Amino acid sequence: MVVGEFTTEVDLLIIGGGPGGYVAAIRAAQLGKKVTLVERDKLGGVCLNVGCIPSKALIAAAHRYEDAKKLGEIGIEAGDVRVDFSKVQTWKQGVVDKLTGGVASLMKANKVEVIKGEALFANDREARVINGYEANRYRFNQCIIATGSRPIELKDLPFGGRVISSTEALALQEIPKRLVVIGGGYIGIELGTVFAKFGTQVTVLEGTESILPTFEKEVLRLVERRLKKLNVTVVTSAMAKGVEETADGVTVTASVKGEEQRYEADYVLVTVGRRPNTEDLGLDMAGVRTEKGLIQVDKQGRTSVGHIFAIGDVVPGPALAHKASYEGKVAAEAAAGEASEVDYRVIPAVVFSDPEIAVVGLSESEAKEKGLDVVTGRFPFAANGRALSLADAEGFVKLVADKSSGELLGAQIVGPEASDLIAEAALAIEMGATLEDVALTIHAHPTLGEVMMEAAEVGLGRPVHIAPR
């Protein structure tokens, strides 16, 4: 029984407090809007609580554990290196709590009213917010939908018990002896690598012919080689068909190139993508149009109902936190009467594999498929002083540019700190910079960033620190 219902008038109602919603709230408040934000769980959404941040914390811990075991290679004897996984989890949660607490402080500082509950549209001007036995109506002038996404659940491998999603994997209190990962996309590879470094025997079952199938082979080659060194078994063209669970383990049945195979493990981690959280919002009551579960929006984030906006994972495009934040700012500005609209040229994408992968813009093959005449510049980290001094020199930077103008079209990086280095390439593409512009920009020495400059010089046909082709 729901009790205590009443109606409150609000200016801008934001549904969802993840990296799209809370950023939209702050930007709207800066522009003078009175903002009310509804979050059903915790501020920060999936990204801060059970996604981007905790996964990267565990990745960092796994890297450091592995590095500590290899210190003897550079002359440092560290003795017996062990993992106290409960302490690792406590540290990870501390990182999460610090960031989510920071978001709460920002809401307060920007005078954003935060309401806990689950929102459901009653019509195009009202939403009902339910929190336990309480339900209240909020009549809004404008609304931004930022409800994010959740892991896709397979019919033959429903979540529960020892069949887990990334959310449960990030919260495990012990290191599994064996782990089967269903799906070789970025989440599966990232978490599979984490547990492999902690000593888990990991098997990845990928339905296509390659893990990370959207990336070029030359980029993937280094990651595949590293997985092999970590004793990760990668099985491609493998379709999971079912699971049998016992008190202390599971057995996954899969069809591998037409033949049935069985894989035993302590847990099965299902990472086959994410689904937008749109079906339980009452969008039909508000008249908001969707297509295949995604809310259709214009360049300002406006839905089919002009005063209702949508951003992030619930709209078309890659399900990335940084895309959601960008769209949140645009929607907030549009709601405040600004002429803002989505106008980015590229969105960088990162996989925190080992080594890291980061890409932006067009790859060489994509550019050629578009009929573009391109020139490329590829420079290895093995020829970079900083990478060598870090004992982490696998990988390369590859730049793709228009052959006649030299304008940068894309970049692929695989190697140390690729996730940070890609920002320069993204900025260069946004600004319409050329290979010449990048090559003539003085980069500090010795740094990993020099590899970007060196790759540009290769593309121009005047390499300095590698022999000319």
Side-chain angles (χ1 to χ4, degrees):
M1 179 180 177
V2 176
V3 297
E5 186 166 338
F6 61 91
T7 301
T8 302
E9 301 281 342
V10 300
D11 183 14
L12 174 61
L13 180 70
I14 297 179
I15 305 174
Y22 84 73
V23 168
I26 292 171
R27 185 67 187 117
Q30 290 172 344
L31 293 169
K33 301 291 287 183
K34 186 171 176 55
V35 183
T36 301
L37 185 148
V38 178
E39 170 54 49
R40 68 179 180 181
D41 193 3
K42 297 178 181 178
L43 285 173
V46 168
C47 179
L48 267 65
N49 290 281
V50 292
C52 316
I53 299 305
S55 66
K56 296 341 169 247
L58 289 186
I59 288 168
H63 282 345
R64 291 183 182 182
Y65 174 59
E66 183 184 43
D67 288 344
K69 291 193 297 180
K70 297 191 299 184
L71 285 174
E73 296 175 10
I74 59 174
I76 298 174
E77 299 301 330
D80 184 26
V81 181
R82 294 175 296 166
V83 179
D84 185 334
F85 200 61
S86 64
K87 285 187 177 180
V88 171
Q89 287 287 19
T90 299
W91 170 76
K92 177 214 74 178
Q93 192 58 44
V95 174
V96 170
D97 292 344
K98 185 175 293 185
L99 286 170
T100 54
V103 173
S105 296
L106 288 171
M107 295 296 97
K108 186 176 181 179
N110 285 279
K111 297 181 173 57
V112 174
E113 181 186 15
V114 178
I115 298 168
K116 186 173 179 61
E118 192 156 356
L120 178 70
F121 285 104
N123 53 59
D124 69 340
R125 287 290 181 181
E126 289 185 318
R128 198 166 182 240
V129 177
I130 301 171
N131 183 17
Y133 293 107
E134 294 184 358
N136 299 302
R137 283 180 180 260
Y138 291 85
R139 184 168 179 80
F140 54 83
N141 293 323
Q142 295 169 304
C143 178
I144 298 176
I145 302 168
T147 49
S149 62
R150 65 189 185 280
I152 291 175
E153 185 174 23
L154 295 176
K155 180 181 178 181
D156 295 326
L157 285 88
F159 294 133
R162 293 182 176 272
V163 180
I164 60 177
S165 71
S166 56
T167 299
E168 293 78 36
L170 290 168
L172 287 176
Q173 293 303 305
E174 77 281 353
I175 300 170
K177 291 184 175 62
R178 296 171 299 175
L179 177 69
V180 170
V181 179
I182 309 297
Y186 74 97
I187 297 175
I189 294 304
E190 287 181 357
L191 294 182
T193 301
V194 164
F195 286 107
K197 288 190 174 188
F198 282 136
T200 302
Q201 177 58 58
V202 176
T203 300
V204 177
L205 303 181
E206 166 55 38
T208 69
E209 295 180 357
S210 170
I211 61 168
L212 301 169
T214 60
F215 295 90
E216 292 198 319
K217 280 293 183 184
E218 63 178 328
V219 171
L220 290 180
R221 198 169 294 120
L222 292 173
V223 175
E224 291 171 333
R225 188 168 69 194
R226 186 75 185 97
L227 288 171
K228 190 173 182 180
K229 287 182 179 179
L230 289 169
N231 296 316
V232 174
T233 301
V234 175
V235 184
T236 57
S237 301
M239 302 299 294
K241 296 298 183 181
V243 62
E244 299 172 13
E245 186 172 343
T246 63
D248 56 358
V250 289
T251 300
V252 177
T253 303
S255 174
V256 182
K257 298 178 180 178
E259 293 186 9
E260 184 176 297
Q261 301 288 344
R262 293 168 65 85
Y263 302 90
E264 296 181 351
D266 299 328
Y267 293 95
V268 180
L269 169 58
V270 180
T271 63
V272 292
R274 299 187 64 83
R275 189 186 307 281
N277 294 323
T278 55
E279 66 269 49
D280 297 325
L281 287 171
L283 294 177
D284 54 336
M285 298 294 290
V288 173
R289 188 170 66 86
T290 64
E291 189 173 312
K292 296 181 179 179
L294 294 171
I295 300 172
Q296 302 304 296
V297 293
D298 65 10
K299 288 187 176 183
Q300 289 194 310
R302 292 183 192 273
T303 69
S304 53
V305 180
H307 58 275
I308 299 179
F309 301 77
I311 61 173
D313 292 5
V314 298
V315 304
L320 298 169
H322 43 284
K323 170 181 169 286
S325 295
Y326 175 91
E327 291 171 346
K329 294 172 189 174
V330 170
E333 290 166 0
E338 302 278 324
S340 299
E341 64 177 35
V342 171
D343 66 350
Y344 55 77
R345 295 180 63 183
V346 290
I347 303 176
V350 176
V351 183
F352 289 83
S353 49
D354 187 8
E356 290 181 357
I357 298 172
V359 300
V360 67
L362 299 176
S363 66
E364 182 179 6
S365 60
E366 288 170 338
K368 289 179 177 178
E369 285 172 8
K370 289 178 177 289
L372 300 175
D373 191 13
V374 298
V375 63
T376 64
R378 188 178 188 273
F379 192 87
F381 282 103
N384 174 263
R386 178 61 173 160
L388 289 168
S389 66
L390 290 170
D392 191 2
E394 278 194 314
F396 59 85
V397 169
K398 180 179 179 180
L399 302 181
V400 181
D402 180 79
K403 191 169 187 178
S404 60
S405 68
E407 184 175 347
L408 195 62
L409 301 174
Q412 295 81 48
I413 306 175
V414 56
E417 306 301 333
S419 54
D420 290 324
L421 295 175
I422 201 64
E424 180 181 351
L427 178 61
I429 295 171
E430 286 286 348
M431 295 183 67
T434 65
L435 290 175
E436 187 82 18
D437 293 324
V438 177
L440 291 177
T441 299
I442 298 175
H443 289 63
H445 175 77
T447 62
L448 297 174
E450 289 176 282
V451 180
M452 193 74 68
M453 175 187 69
E454 304 263 20
E457 291 177 336
V458 172
L460 292 167
R462 53 176 196 248
V464 174
H465 289 108
I466 59 172
R469 290 183 292 182

